[in-house]
Amino acid sequence: MAGNPNGTLNLSRPGTRAQNSGGLTLGSPMMRGGAASSNPAAAPLGLNVGSGPAHRSPRNAVAVQDHAFPAPTLSEVRALDETNPVVRLNERQSAIGSLLAAGPRSVAWEDEEFTTGALHVDGHSAGAPVKTSGNRPLVGFHGTSGVVSLRHVRQLRRALIIAAEAPLTIGVFGGAAAAVVPRNSEGDRSVLYISRIGPVLEIRVEFVPADASDAEIWAMLGFSMTIPLDQQVLSH
């Protein structure tokens, strides 16, 4: 904003020169309904008058999840399939206890530091583990059920739960639950793609070729396994 003699808000990208197209400019007299005012109270809400940076008023800051498209809650959907592929947990459901998925063959995770890893129900693992502050896995298995720790949900960026051959069942604290078909009408395998939007989790069912390996599914859905530090040392 430095070097702008008019004190108006410049929306051009840094390092590029804004062209005067004759269009409407924020901070111009037209936007303020007449002559420019030196009274900050007369400025539009959330904009500063003068050459300083614009700031959004904290009272009017919009939550991240408010920008997401509408989605049904887990309490409103009995099954995730091609007709109903997505649900979104509310803040309470996203923060208490664990998200359980009964019957997957494997799980994968990516945390806020972009550390990724995966675990198969038979114990094989890839990538790097992620522990919560309570020294528990952020995503893992409890017996044959996949588990996402929700008490530390803000550590999670996204996760995958890959179906085996039987239907999955997912559930959260409070009793809300839904079934997930293991295959779609064309025989493709179901994969739950779990992503965090602000403080809430969104769960979407994706379909991949039935014979795809876990590594192929990770690649399809944009997961690249972290190389553990000890393996990095050994490879050099």
Side-chain angles (χ1 to χ4, degrees):
M1 297 297 291
N4 186 346
N6 296 323
T8 59
L9 186 62
N10 189 340
L11 298 183
S12 61
R13 295 182 179 177
T16 63
R17 184 175 181 179
Q19 300 295 323
N20 184 1
S21 62
L24 194 61
T25 302
L26 287 178
S28 68
M30 186 180 297
M31 282 293 290
R32 292 199 291 266
S37 171
S38 60
N39 180 5
L45 187 62
L47 293 179
N48 285 343
V49 175
S51 58
H55 296 284
R56 183 186 295 273
S57 169
R59 292 183 304 169
N60 295 280
V62 180
V64 174
Q65 66 270 23
D66 290 343
H67 290 293
F69 63 87
T73 67
L74 188 58
S75 303
E76 297 172 323
V77 173
R78 295 293 183 89
L80 287 174
D81 51 26
E82 292 172 296
T83 303
N84 298 297
V86 61
V87 294
R88 191 172 298 132
L89 306 184
N90 60 37
E91 289 194 41
R92 185 170 185 270
Q93 291 171 333
S94 299
I96 299 177
S98 299
L99 169 67
L100 296 177
R105 80 181 191 192
S106 65
V107 297
W109 55 85
E110 182 178 85
D111 74 357
E112 276 292 273
E113 302 297 325
F114 297 95
T115 300
T116 54
L119 182 64
H120 197 279
V121 68
D122 65 9
H124 296 305
S125 62
V130 174
K131 298 285 188 178
T132 68
S133 56
N135 201 34
R136 294 183 177 182
L138 182 61
V139 180
F141 273 95
H142 180 73
T144 58
S145 294
V147 180
V148 179
S149 177
L150 300 181
R151 184 177 179 183
H152 305 279
V153 70
R154 288 188 178 274
Q155 285 184 246
L156 181 70
R157 187 167 182 266
R158 53 185 183 149
L160 299 178
I161 297 177
I162 302 176
E165 303 307 318
L168 291 171
T169 302
I170 58 173
V172 295
F173 178 83
V180 183
V181 294
R183 306 285 182 94
N184 66 4
S185 58
E186 298 180 358
D188 294 328
R189 186 180 303 279
S190 296
V191 177
L192 291 181
Y193 187 102
I194 303 169
S195 54
R196 183 172 61 80
I197 305 174
V200 303
L201 290 184
E202 181 177 282
I203 306 171
R204 176 184 296 274
V205 62
E206 302 282 359
F207 296 97
V208 300
D211 59 353
S213 67
D214 283 3
E216 290 170 333
I217 294 172
W218 303 335
M220 291 175 195
L221 297 176
F223 278 68
S224 179
M225 292 295 119
T226 297
I227 301 176
L229 183 59
D230 56 350
Q231 294 184 24
Q232 293 181 36
V233 172
L234 291 173
S235 65
H236 287 81

